[in-house]
Amino acid sequence: MEFTFSDYAFSGLLSILAALYGVGYPLIIQSIERINSQYNSLSISERFVKESIYIVFQVLLVINMVFAISAPFLLHSGWNNNLFITIQAVLLALLVGQTFLLFRLILIYSTGPKLRKHLEGKQIDKHNLTQLFDLAVYADAIQSYSLYHDCMADVLGYICEQQGDEKWQSSDIVLPPVYYDDLTSGIVHSIGRFVKDNDSRHYLNRQNDIVSVFFNRSSKSRISDQGRIYMWHLVNDAVSSNNKPWFSQYWQYAESYENAKYHYLLPYSSKELQADKEWYRTQHVMTGTALIHWRRFDWLNDIF
């Protein structure tokens, strides 16, 4: 049987597709599995499979497979062979190009600093906050302080934005109490698990930058009951787990906040601020009670 141009072209295209599917696709699956095991983060894994590059690759792969299966029948029937081969060549070229883009994306996800820049995008919002915090946890695990610091700065910046401060606001304005979203609540609870961890090698165990956000001296917003509950749970976690470094930092932030917000508060100041000051004193009493309950008497000597 005599081979025509369309026969040779189809054979060549089919060989390229077979190579991509037989060799490239398993490598891609292995790379995705390595990303899963590297970060141990469901949110990062879900973010990867939702990437437009990955989705387009999957679609092009399916379309090319459909064309490859139907090609012999269409070529045998003589159905506009040259047009069909041209379409398949274009689709295969797109698939090859998309494969290179996908491998580039995999390399980005395999490198922490590059992944952070990729996740950051144009702004930090609910769509990337969880991934950035999980990346901070990964950086904590591998002791990469620069990556940890950058990721936590993004996370804490998102939380600070909820406090509603603007540059144009008057210096003596008092904003309403801040109620944070569910993502913030999840992050606080995750940090609490690290605070209770006895492994002091973790940055999240001994550093409490999250406290500086809730006790934000520069913010004009008041602390809500929700924020107070967050703080109390974290303090209780630190005291019960004998995490003195974390507690010492907490006390420094708390005293600095009190000096800035309540120390010079006049008797005729707003009732809301007076109530906040009373809460702050109550919190101190509760903290002292917790220290006595857990027999942290040396901590009491340090702070009083």
Side-chain angles (χ1 to χ4, degrees), residues 92-192:
L92 187 57
L94 291 174
L95 179 61
V96 171
Q98 198 68 19
T99 302
F100 284 115
L101 292 177
L102 183 58
F103 275 116
R104 179 177 174 272
L105 182 64
I106 290 173
L107 290 175
I108 290 174
Y109 268 78
S110 301
T111 309
K114 291 182 178 179
L115 177 58
R116 173 187 162 265
K117 291 182 179 179
H118 177 75
L119 293 175
E120 239 182 356
K122 296 181 179 179
Q123 64 177 2
I124 311 301
D125 54 28
K126 63 180 182 180
H127 300 293
N128 56 10
L129 182 70
T130 303
Q131 292 88 21
L132 286 167
F133 179 73
D134 288 349
L135 188 58
V137 173
Y138 162 76
D140 186 0
I142 65 172
Q143 298 289 291
S144 175
Y145 182 75
S146 59
L147 178 59
Y148 167 82
H149 179 271
D150 291 340
C151 291
M152 286 303 296
D154 292 334
V155 172
L156 298 180
Y158 171 86
I159 298 175
C160 283
E161 286 183 0
Q162 298 179 61
Q163 296 173 353
D165 293 284
E166 300 288 350
K167 294 181 179 180
W168 53 265
Q169 290 170 339
S170 173
S171 58
D172 57 352
I173 191 175
V174 178
L175 297 177
V178 183
Y179 289 90
Y180 300 93
D181 60 16
D182 292 339
L183 291 176
T184 302
S185 178
I187 288 173
V188 172
H189 284 90
S190 296
I191 291 176

Side-chain angles (χ1 to χ4, degrees), residues 59-94:
V59 172
L60 285 174
L61 185 62
V62 171
I63 294 175
N64 273 275
M65 291 300 296
V66 171
F67 265 76
I69 294 173
S70 59
F73 304 99
L74 295 174
L75 291 175
H76 180 72
S77 64
W79 178 84
N80 208 336
N81 291 353
N82 291 337
L83 176 61
F84 180 82
I85 292 298
T86 301
I87 294 174
Q88 188 175 21
V90 171
L91 289 172
L92 187 57
L94 291 174

Side-chain angles (χ1 to χ4, degrees), residues 203-271:
Y203 302 127
L204 286 166
N205 173 264
R206 62 181 187 270
Q207 295 189 7
N208 57 1
D209 296 331
I210 188 70
V211 176
S212 66
V213 174
F214 293 122
F215 281 145
N216 188 355
R217 296 175 53 188
S218 61
S219 176
K220 303 175 184 64
S221 61
R222 296 166 52 221
I223 300 178
S224 64
D225 291 339
Q226 181 198 44
R228 295 165 186 168
I229 292 172
Y230 288 161
M231 298 297 297
W232 172 246
H233 280 304
L234 290 173
V235 170
N236 190 56
D237 289 338
V239 175
S240 62
S241 60
N242 199 25
N243 191 341
K244 187 176 180 180
W246 192 98
F247 179 82
S248 298
Q249 290 185 51
Y250 159 81
W251 193 261
Q252 291 175 4
Y253 283 129
E255 283 206 321
S256 177
Y257 184 84
E258 190 273 340
N259 290 330
K261 296 289 187 178
Y262 308 132
H263 186 72
Y264 299 103
L265 198 63
L266 299 175
Y268 53 81
S269 299
S270 68
K271 294 182 179 179

Side-chain angles (χ1 to χ4, degrees), residues 3 29 32 43 53 56 61 63 145 159 167-168 200-201 205 208 213 222 242 244 252 263 276-278 281-283 287:
F3 255 108
I29 297 301
I32 295 173
S43 62
I53 292 176
V56 172
L61 185 62
I63 294 175
Y145 182 75
I159 298 175
K167 294 181 179 180
W168 53 265
S200 60
R201 294 174 299 176
N205 173 264
N208 57 1
V213 174
R222 296 166 52 221
N242 199 25
K244 187 176 180 180
Q252 291 175 4
H263 186 72
D276 289 346
K277 183 176 182 179
E278 289 302 316
R281 291 175 175 175
T282 303
Q283 182 87 349
T287 302

